[in-house]
Amino acid sequence: MMDPRNLLIQEYDYDLPETSIARYPLTNRESSKLLIYKKESIQEDEYANIHKHLPKDSLLIFNNTKVVAARLLFTKMTGGAIELFCLEPSEQYGDITNAMLQKKKVIWHCLVGGAKKWKKGEVLVKQIDTSNPSMTLSAKMIEKKSDSYVIELSWNIENHRFADILHLAGEIPLPPYLNRKAEDTDTERYQTVYAQHDGSVAAPTAGLHFTDALLQKLKKEGIHQAFVTLHVGAGTFKPVKSETLGDHEMHAEYIDVPSSLIQQLLDQSGKAIIPIGTTSFRTIETCYWMGVKATLDADASIQALEIKQWDVYTLPQDISVQTALQALLLWMQRQQTMRIVCKTQLLVTPAYTIRVADAIITNFHQPKSTLLLLIASFVGTQWKTIYQYALQHQFRFLSYGDGCLLWKRKEI
């Protein structure tokens, strides 16, 4: 196996013209173009017809995380603007879901725009509801970390959870490469129709193309659906700035997977498993590797089962998917839990051997990104041919753009 630490990120660069970046979504979600890549052949269609390109009895894995209005704008008494971008909660809450349920106050890790104008201990206040000036949200800086700030947020509305406060006071955090402020339409369109669990600061964009009608059509065609949760962090937009991958730190994100999903994956043996997006892919592949760890230590703690950045390149490579997933189910039974809730730092590179997925449905990703490296794990160096074709045939790129169905290359 090639050592992924030595991978040169320059080899995963390409020229992405500004004109190819989709600044706004199409009016109809399922009208987006779909590139189909299979056996080194490329076809074009649109999402409305995706069922025609999927085998019957396929299992589609969707990420049902919900984007929260994570951008909070404050104005100082002097008129200076301070912007908070809520990244993730303090570790004291255990997971994002619990943090979102907090009342009265919460501790959050944030990026801060205008931080130099904000003195430590100084309390910023903003109105939560403009129709009721007495409803306020306060922010106090607790400490500065290497890459973020620890902020205490408190509010004076009884029985309102932090998720409610963000909904009332925050703005949808559009990706930085869109170079525009969020508009009213983004509240709906930068969200999948099946979004359920608050916690993401970015949408699982591969799912933006699916409508309720399309999901029903897929069911009628004998194509099954299952759901996992991975709360997308801002690190998903973080480019690889080092020359080699060994100097890049992969972001960690919360996953929440029910035991019923593990059983569905086991029952799907021999039939196609297709994650919708890189987040769903990383979640189900993480489950496999957690199962590998469970086969090695049946009494491991949940912390010991978590997947770190380089784990999958050093763990045993010869454990079958069935064995690993069964071991994970047994571990859950011993722990008397119906859900796996933890973080994953899984980094997928061209050196990675895909275990669970047979194909992926995803958007077109940024140059020099870990997302593009993940795509190369499916199609190898053919990613260049696929992306060049998409650029030449006016496919729309990035979050609000078109997408592709990529089938896994056969191992030689």
Side-chain angles (χ1 to χ4, degrees):
M1 180 195 296
M2 176 190 82
D3 187 342
R5 293 176 179 83
N6 296 330
L7 185 145
L8 296 172
I9 195 61
Q10 190 62 41
E11 294 178 6
Y12 297 87
D13 192 14
Y14 69 95
D15 183 26
L16 177 59
E18 288 288 316
T19 52
S20 292
I21 299 174
R23 307 273 174 214
Y24 291 87
L26 298 181
T27 303
N28 184 5
R29 292 174 185 260
E30 59 186 72
S31 295
S32 295
K33 291 171 69 173
L34 178 69
L35 182 153
I36 303 99
Y37 176 82
K38 190 174 186 179
K39 296 179 180 177
E40 300 191 2
S41 173
I42 293 175
Q43 288 179 262
E44 282 189 45
D45 208 330
E46 59 181 42
Y47 274 82
N49 300 321
I50 195 169
H51 61 283
K52 296 179 181 178
H53 306 281
L54 302 173
K56 194 169 184 178
D57 284 334
S58 294
L59 177 63
L60 303 184
I61 311 288
F62 295 87
N63 181 6
N64 61 9
T65 186
K66 191 173 187 178
V67 182
V68 295
R71 200 178 295 279
L72 296 166
L73 304 177
F74 289 84
T75 303
K76 295 184 55 171
M77 296 291 288
T78 56
I82 304 289
E83 178 180 307
L84 304 188
F85 184 45
C86 300
L87 294 175
E88 63 178 17
S90 166
E91 293 76 11
Q92 71 192 64
Y93 304 110
D95 60 72
I96 288 182
T97 300
N98 187 37
M100 285 290 177
L101 296 176
Q102 298 300 306
K103 296 178 180 179
K104 295 187 178 179
K105 71 175 183 178
V106 72
I107 307 294
W108 219 264
H109 294 275
C110 302
L111 299 179
V112 178
K116 291 180 179 179
K117 296 178 284 185
W118 189 11
K119 297 176 183 177
K120 185 176 179 179
E122 181 183 2
V123 178
L124 306 178
V125 180
K126 75 172 283 152
Q127 290 180 13
I128 293 174
D129 186 342
T130 53
S131 64
N132 187 345
S134 64
M135 294 166 59
T136 58
L137 172 66
S138 301
K140 182 169 71 172
M141 186 185 297
I142 304 299
E143 65 174 312
K144 185 182 187 306
K145 297 283 191 179
S146 60
D147 56 355
S148 64
Y149 292 82
V150 180
I151 307 296
E152 180 186 273
L153 294 155
S154 58
W155 52 98
N156 62 357
I157 314 175
E158 293 290 332
N159 299 320
H160 269 55
R161 308 163 305 162
F162 186 54
D164 303 321
I165 298 302
L166 286 178
H167 179 72
L168 290 168
E171 293 184 4
I172 290 291
L174 289 183
Y177 48 65
L178 292 186
N179 288 322
R180 66 175 178 86
K181 290 186 176 181
E183 301 175 13
D184 289 343
T185 53
D186 293 308
T187 304
E188 177 205 359
R189 288 298 273 108
Y190 195 61
Q191 199 80 266
T192 62
V193 298
Y194 48 81
Q196 191 172 353
H197 302 294
D198 290 310
S200 280
V201 299
T205 54
L208 296 179
H209 307 288
F210 291 83
T211 62
D212 289 323
L214 181 53
L215 293 173
Q216 288 302 315
K217 184 193 294 185
L218 288 166
K219 283 183 182 178
K220 289 178 182 177
E221 295 291 335
I223 295 163
H224 312 297
Q225 298 162 29
F227 295 88
V228 296
T229 306
L230 180 145
H231 293 304
V232 190
T236 193
F237 302 122
K238 184 180 177 182
V240 181
K241 293 184 177 179
S242 55
E243 286 188 19
T244 60
L245 203 54
D247 294 324
H248 177 76
E249 183 179 2
M250 183 66 177
H251 55 287
E253 295 168 311
Y254 283 99
I255 61 171
D256 185 338
V257 180
S259 58
S260 58
L261 182 278
I262 308 298
Q263 189 61 57
Q264 278 180 287
L265 295 176
L266 279 166
D267 294 342
Q268 193 68 10
S269 179
K271 301 171 186 174
I273 296 173
I274 306 172
I276 309 301
T278 58
T279 59
S280 297
F281 172 81
R282 290 178 64 236
T283 303
I284 61 174
E285 294 286 315
T286 289
C287 290
Y288 165 79
W289 289 106
M290 292 181 77
V292 169
K293 286 190 173 186
T295 63
L296 301 175
D297 182 0
D299 298 314
S301 66
I302 184 65
Q303 290 78 18
L305 290 192
E306 286 187 344
I307 302 304
K308 306 301 182 185
Q309 178 163 336
W310 305 111
D311 281 356
V312 301
Y313 303 101
T314 58
L315 285 166
Q317 302 290 309
D318 58 351
I319 296 174
S320 72
V321 172
Q322 292 287 109
T323 299
L325 294 181
Q326 285 167 351
L328 187 57
L329 270 185
L330 287 172
W331 180 89
M332 295 176 78
Q333 290 169 11
R334 282 193 297 273
Q335 297 289 324
Q336 297 184 326
T337 181
M338 300 294 288
R339 313 192 76 81
I340 293 258
V341 181
C342 64
K343 281 188 172 184
T344 181
Q345 202 183 9
L346 175 63
L347 174 59
V348 179
T349 74
Y352 181 81
T353 300
I354 297 167
R355 305 293 170 157
V356 185
D358 296 289
I360 188 169
I361 295 167
T362 187
N363 285 23
F364 295 98
H365 303 293
Q366 287 180 289
K368 294 185 176 181
S369 64
T370 56
L371 303 179
L372 190 54
L373 296 179
L374 188 154
I375 297 309
S377 74
F378 271 90
V379 298
T381 57
Q382 285 295 101
W383 75 264
K384 296 178 182 179
T385 302
I386 294 166
Y387 272 53
Q388 197 58 43
Y389 179 97
L391 288 166
Q392 290 173 352
H393 290 78
Q394 286 73 55
F395 277 73
R396 304 162 73 247
F397 275 53
L398 307 186
S399 296
Y400 272 146
D402 300 313
C404 49
L405 164 59
L406 306 175
W407 287 90
K408 183 169 65 175
R409 58 180 170 164
K410 298 297 181 184
E411 299 298 329
I412 300 173

Coordinates of all heavy atoms in Angstrom, one line a residue, residues 4-14 177 234-251 309-310 313 345-350 365-375:
P4 N -0.1 7.1 2.5 CA -0.9 8.3 2.1 C -0.2 9.5 2.6 O -0.5 10.6 2.1 CB -2.2 8.0 2.8 CG -2.0 7.0 3.8 CD -0.9 6.2 3.3
R5 N 0.7 9.4 3.6 CA 1.3 10.6 4.1 C 2.2 11.3 3.1 O 2.5 12.5 3.2 CB 2.1 10.3 5.4 CG 1.3 9.8 6.6 CD 2.2 9.4 7.7 NE 1.5 9.0 8.9 CZ 1.0 7.8 9.1 NH1 1.1 6.9 8.2 NH2 0.3 7.5 10.2
N6 N 2.7 10.5 2.2 CA 3.6 11.0 1.1 C 2.9 11.5 -0.1 O 3.5 12.0 -1.1 CB 4.6 9.9 0.7 CG 5.5 9.4 1.8 OD1 5.8 10.2 2.7 ND2 5.8 8.1 1.8
L7 N 1.6 11.4 -0.1 CA 0.8 11.9 -1.3 C 1.0 13.4 -1.5 O 0.9 14.2 -0.6 CB -0.7 11.6 -1.0 CG -1.6 11.9 -2.2 CD1 -2.8 10.8 -2.2 CD2 -2.2 13.3 -2.0
L8 N 1.3 13.8 -2.8 CA 1.5 15.2 -3.1 C 0.1 15.8 -3.5 O -0.5 15.3 -4.5 CB 2.5 15.3 -4.3 CG 3.9 14.8 -4.0 CD1 4.7 14.8 -5.3 CD2 4.6 15.7 -3.0
I9 N -0.3 16.8 -2.8 CA -1.6 17.3 -3.0 C -1.7 18.1 -4.4 O -2.7 18.2 -5.0 CB -2.0 18.3 -1.9 CG1 -3.5 18.6 -1.9 CG2 -1.2 19.5 -1.9 CD1 -4.4 17.4 -1.8
Q10 N -0.5 18.5 -4.9 CA -0.5 19.2 -6.2 C -1.0 18.3 -7.3 O -1.5 18.8 -8.3 CB 1.0 19.6 -6.5 CG 1.1 20.5 -7.7 CD 0.4 21.8 -7.5 OE1 0.4 22.4 -6.4 NE2 -0.3 22.3 -8.5
E11 N -1.0 17.0 -7.1 CA -1.5 16.1 -8.1 C -3.0 16.0 -8.2 O -3.6 15.4 -9.0 CB -1.0 14.7 -7.9 CG 0.6 14.6 -8.0 CD 1.1 13.2 -7.7 OE1 0.2 12.3 -7.5 OE2 2.3 13.0 -7.7
Y12 N -3.7 16.7 -7.2 CA -5.1 16.8 -7.1 C -5.6 18.2 -7.2 O -6.6 18.6 -6.6 CB -5.6 16.1 -5.8 CG -5.2 14.6 -5.9 CD1 -3.9 14.2 -5.4 CD2 -6.0 13.6 -6.4 CE1 -3.5 12.9 -5.5 CE2 -5.6 12.3 -6.5 CZ -4.3 12.0 -6.1 OH -3.9 10.7 -6.2
D13 N -5.0 18.9 -8.1 CA -5.3 20.3 -8.5 C -5.9 20.3 -9.9 O -5.6 19.4 -10.7 CB -4.1 21.2 -8.4 CG -4.5 22.7 -8.4 OD1 -5.7 23.0 -8.2 OD2 -3.5 23.5 -8.6
Y14 N -6.8 21.2 -10.1 CA -7.3 21.5 -11.5 C -7.8 22.9 -11.5 O -8.1 23.6 -10.5 CB -8.4 20.5 -11.8 CG -9.7 20.7 -11.1 CD1 -10.8 21.4 -11.6 CD2 -9.9 20.1 -9.8 CE1 -12.0 21.6 -10.9 CE2 -11.1 20.3 -9.1 CZ -12.1 21.0 -9.7 OH -13.3 21.2 -9.0
Y177 N -16.9 30.0 -0.7 CA -16.7 30.2 -2.2 C -17.9 30.7 -3.0 O -17.8 31.0 -4.1 CB -16.1 28.9 -2.8 CG -16.9 27.6 -2.4 CD1 -18.2 27.4 -2.8 CD2 -16.3 26.6 -1.7 CE1 -18.9 26.3 -2.5 CE2 -17.0 25.4 -1.4 CZ -18.3 25.3 -1.8 OH -19.0 24.1 -1.5
A234 N -17.1 22.9 9.6 CA -16.5 23.8 8.7 C -15.3 23.3 8.1 O -14.8 23.8 7.0 CB -16.3 25.2 9.4
G235 N -14.7 22.3 8.7 CA -13.4 21.7 8.2 C -13.6 21.1 6.8 O -12.6 20.9 6.1
T236 N -14.9 20.8 6.4 CA -15.1 20.3 5.1 C -14.7 21.2 4.0 O -14.4 20.8 2.8 CB -16.6 19.9 4.9 OG1 -16.8 19.1 3.8 CG2 -17.5 21.2 4.8
F237 N -14.6 22.5 4.3 CA -14.1 23.5 3.3 C -12.6 23.8 3.4 O -12.1 24.6 2.6 CB -14.9 24.8 3.5 CG -16.4 24.7 3.3 CD1 -17.2 25.1 4.4 CD2 -16.9 24.2 2.2 CE1 -18.6 25.0 4.3 CE2 -18.3 24.1 2.1 CZ -19.1 24.5 3.1
K238 N -12.0 23.1 4.3 CA -10.6 23.4 4.6 C -9.7 22.8 3.5 O -9.6 21.6 3.4 CB -10.2 22.8 6.0 CG -8.8 23.2 6.4 CD -8.5 22.5 7.8 CE -7.1 22.7 8.2 NZ -6.9 22.1 9.6
P239 N -9.0 23.6 2.7 CA -8.1 23.0 1.7 C -6.9 22.4 2.3 O -6.5 22.8 3.4 CB -7.8 24.3 0.8 CG -7.9 25.4 1.7 CD -9.0 25.1 2.7
V240 N -6.3 21.5 1.6 CA -5.0 21.0 2.0 C -3.9 22.0 1.6 O -3.6 22.1 0.4 CB -4.7 19.6 1.4 CG1 -3.4 19.0 1.9 CG2 -5.9 18.6 1.7
K241 N -3.3 22.6 2.6 CA -2.3 23.7 2.3 C -0.9 23.2 2.3 O 0.0 23.8 1.8 CB -2.5 24.9 3.2 CG -3.8 25.6 3.1 CD -3.9 26.8 4.0 CE -5.2 27.6 3.7 NZ -5.4 28.7 4.6
S242 N -0.7 22.0 2.9 CA 0.7 21.4 2.9 C 1.0 20.7 1.6 O 0.1 20.3 0.9 CB 0.8 20.4 4.1 OG -0.2 19.5 4.0
E243 N 2.3 20.6 1.3 CA 2.7 19.9 0.1 C 2.3 18.5 0.1 O 1.9 17.9 -0.9 CB 4.2 20.1 -0.1 CG 4.6 21.5 -0.5 CD 6.1 21.5 -0.9 OE1 6.7 20.5 -1.2 OE2 6.7 22.7 -0.9
T244 N 2.5 17.8 1.2 CA 2.1 16.4 1.4 C 1.0 16.2 2.4 O 0.9 17.1 3.3 CB 3.4 15.5 1.8 OG1 3.8 16.0 3.1 CG2 4.5 15.6 0.8
L245 N 0.3 15.1 2.3 CA -0.9 14.9 3.1 C -0.5 14.7 4.6 O -1.3 14.9 5.5 CB -1.7 13.7 2.6 CG -3.1 13.7 2.9 CD1 -3.9 15.0 2.6 CD2 -3.8 12.5 2.3
G246 N 0.8 14.2 4.8 CA 1.2 13.9 6.1 C 1.2 15.1 7.1 O 1.1 15.0 8.3
D247 N 1.2 16.3 6.5 CA 1.2 17.6 7.3 C -0.2 18.2 7.4 O -0.3 19.3 8.0 CB 2.2 18.6 6.7 CG 3.6 18.1 6.8 OD1 4.0 17.5 7.8 OD2 4.4 18.4 5.9
H248 N -1.2 17.5 6.9 CA -2.5 18.0 7.0 C -3.3 17.3 8.1 O -3.3 16.1 8.2 CB -3.3 17.8 5.6 CG -4.7 18.2 5.6 ND1 -5.1 19.5 5.5 CD2 -5.9 17.5 5.7 CE1 -6.4 19.6 5.6 NE2 -6.9 18.4 5.7
E249 N -4.0 18.1 8.9 CA -4.9 17.5 9.9 C -6.3 17.4 9.5 O -6.9 18.5 9.1 CB -4.8 18.3 11.2 CG -5.6 17.7 12.4 CD -5.6 18.4 13.7 OE1 -4.9 19.5 13.7 OE2 -6.2 18.0 14.6
M250 N -6.8 16.2 9.4 CA -8.2 16.0 9.0 C -9.2 16.4 10.1 O -8.9 16.2 11.3 CB -8.4 14.5 8.6 CG -9.8 14.2 8.1 SD -10.1 14.9 6.5 CE -11.8 14.2 6.2
H251 N -10.3 17.1 9.7 CA -11.3 17.5 10.7 C -12.0 16.3 11.2 O -12.2 15.3 10.5 CB -12.2 18.5 10.1 CG -12.9 18.1 8.8 ND1 -12.2 18.0 7.6 CD2 -14.2 17.6 8.6 CE1 -13.1 17.5 6.7 NE2 -14.2 17.3 7.3
Q309 N -7.3 9.8 12.1 CA -6.9 10.1 10.7 C -6.2 9.0 10.0 O -6.5 8.7 8.8 CB -6.0 11.4 10.7 CG -5.5 11.8 9.4 CD -5.0 13.2 9.4 OE1 -5.4 14.1 10.2 NE2 -4.2 13.6 8.4
W310 N -5.2 8.4 10.6 CA -4.4 7.4 9.9 C -4.7 5.9 10.3 O -4.1 5.0 9.8 CB -2.9 7.6 10.2 CG -2.5 9.0 9.8 CD1 -2.1 10.0 10.7 CD2 -2.5 9.6 8.5 NE1 -1.8 11.2 10.0 CE2 -2.0 11.0 8.7 CE3 -2.7 9.2 7.2 CZ2 -1.9 11.8 7.6 CZ3 -2.6 10.0 6.1 CH2 -2.2 11.3 6.3
Y313 N -5.1 2.9 7.8 CA -3.9 2.5 7.0 C -3.0 1.6 7.8 O -2.0 1.1 7.3 CB -3.2 3.7 6.5 CG -4.1 4.6 5.6 CD1 -4.7 5.7 6.1 CD2 -4.5 4.2 4.3 CE1 -5.6 6.5 5.4 CE2 -5.3 5.0 3.5 CZ -5.9 6.1 4.1 OH -6.8 6.9 3.3
Q345 N -12.6 10.8 12.2 CA -11.6 11.6 11.6 C -11.1 10.8 10.3 O -10.0 11.1 9.8 CB -10.5 11.9 12.5 CG -9.6 13.1 12.2 CD -8.5 13.3 13.1 OE1 -8.2 12.4 14.0 NE2 -7.8 14.4 13.0
L346 N -12.0 9.9 9.8 CA -11.6 9.1 8.6 C -11.1 10.0 7.5 O -11.8 10.8 7.0 CB -12.8 8.3 8.2 CG -12.6 7.4 7.0 CD1 -11.5 6.4 7.1 CD2 -13.9 6.7 6.6
L347 N -9.9 9.7 7.0 CA -9.3 10.4 5.9 C -9.2 9.4 4.7 O -8.4 8.4 4.8 CB -8.0 11.0 6.2 CG -7.2 11.6 5.1 CD1 -7.9 12.7 4.4 CD2 -5.8 12.1 5.5
V348 N -9.9 9.6 3.7 CA -10.0 8.7 2.5 C -9.1 9.2 1.4 O -9.3 10.4 1.0 CB -11.4 8.4 2.0 CG1 -11.4 7.5 0.9 CG2 -12.2 7.9 3.2
T349 N -8.1 8.4 1.0 CA -7.2 8.8 -0.1 C -7.2 7.8 -1.2 O -7.8 6.7 -1.0 CB -5.8 9.0 0.5 OG1 -5.2 7.6 0.7 CG2 -5.8 9.7 1.8
P350 N -6.5 8.0 -2.3 CA -6.3 7.0 -3.3 C -5.7 5.7 -2.8 O -5.8 4.7 -3.5 CB -5.5 7.7 -4.3 CG -5.7 9.1 -4.2 CD -5.9 9.3 -2.7
H365 N -16.2 18.6 -6.5 CA -15.6 19.2 -5.4 C -14.4 20.1 -5.7 O -13.9 20.1 -6.9 CB -15.1 18.1 -4.5 CG -16.2 17.2 -4.0 ND1 -17.2 17.6 -3.2 CD2 -16.4 15.9 -4.3 CE1 -18.0 16.6 -3.0 NE2 -17.6 15.5 -3.7
Q366 N -14.0 20.9 -4.7 CA -12.9 21.9 -4.9 C -11.6 21.2 -5.2 O -11.3 20.1 -4.8 CB -12.8 22.7 -3.6 CG -13.8 23.7 -3.4 CD -13.6 24.4 -2.1 OE1 -13.7 23.9 -1.0 NE2 -13.2 25.7 -2.2
P367 N -10.7 21.9 -5.9 CA -9.3 21.5 -6.1 C -8.6 21.3 -4.8 O -8.9 22.1 -3.8 CB -8.7 22.6 -7.0 CG -9.8 23.3 -7.6 CD -10.9 23.2 -6.6
K368 N -7.6 20.4 -4.7 CA -6.8 20.2 -3.5 C -7.6 20.0 -2.2 O -7.2 20.5 -1.2 CB -5.9 21.4 -3.4 CG -4.8 21.6 -4.5 CD -3.9 22.8 -4.1 CE -2.8 22.9 -5.1 NZ -1.9 24.0 -4.8
S369 N -8.7 19.4 -2.3 CA -9.5 19.1 -1.1 C -9.5 17.6 -0.8 O -9.3 16.8 -1.6 CB -11.0 19.6 -1.4 OG -11.6 18.8 -2.4
T370 N -9.8 17.3 0.5 CA -9.8 15.9 0.9 C -11.0 15.3 0.3 O -11.0 14.0 0.1 CB -10.0 15.8 2.4 OG1 -11.1 16.6 2.9 CG2 -8.7 16.3 3.1
L371 N -12.0 16.0 -0.1 CA -13.2 15.5 -0.8 C -12.8 14.9 -2.2 O -13.2 13.9 -2.6 CB -14.3 16.5 -1.0 CG -14.8 17.1 0.3 CD1 -15.9 18.2 0.0 CD2 -15.3 16.1 1.3
L372 N -11.9 15.6 -2.9 CA -11.4 15.2 -4.2 C -10.5 13.9 -4.0 O -10.6 13.0 -4.9 CB -10.6 16.3 -4.9 CG -10.3 16.1 -6.3 CD1 -11.5 15.8 -7.2 CD2 -9.6 17.3 -6.9
L373 N -9.8 13.9 -3.0 CA -9.0 12.7 -2.7 C -9.9 11.5 -2.5 O -9.6 10.4 -3.0 CB -8.1 12.9 -1.4 CG -7.1 13.9 -1.4 CD1 -6.4 14.0 -0.1 CD2 -6.1 13.7 -2.6
L374 N -11.0 11.7 -1.8 CA -12.0 10.6 -1.6 C -12.6 10.1 -3.0 O -12.7 8.9 -3.2 CB -13.1 11.1 -0.7 CG -14.2 10.1 -0.2 CD1 -14.8 10.6 1.1 CD2 -15.3 9.9 -1.2
I375 N -12.9 11.0 -3.9 CA -13.4 10.7 -5.2 C -12.3 9.8 -5.9 O -12.7 8.8 -6.6 CB -13.7 11.9 -6.0 CG1 -14.8 12.7 -5.4 CG2 -14.0 11.6 -7.5 CD1 -16.0 11.9 -5.0

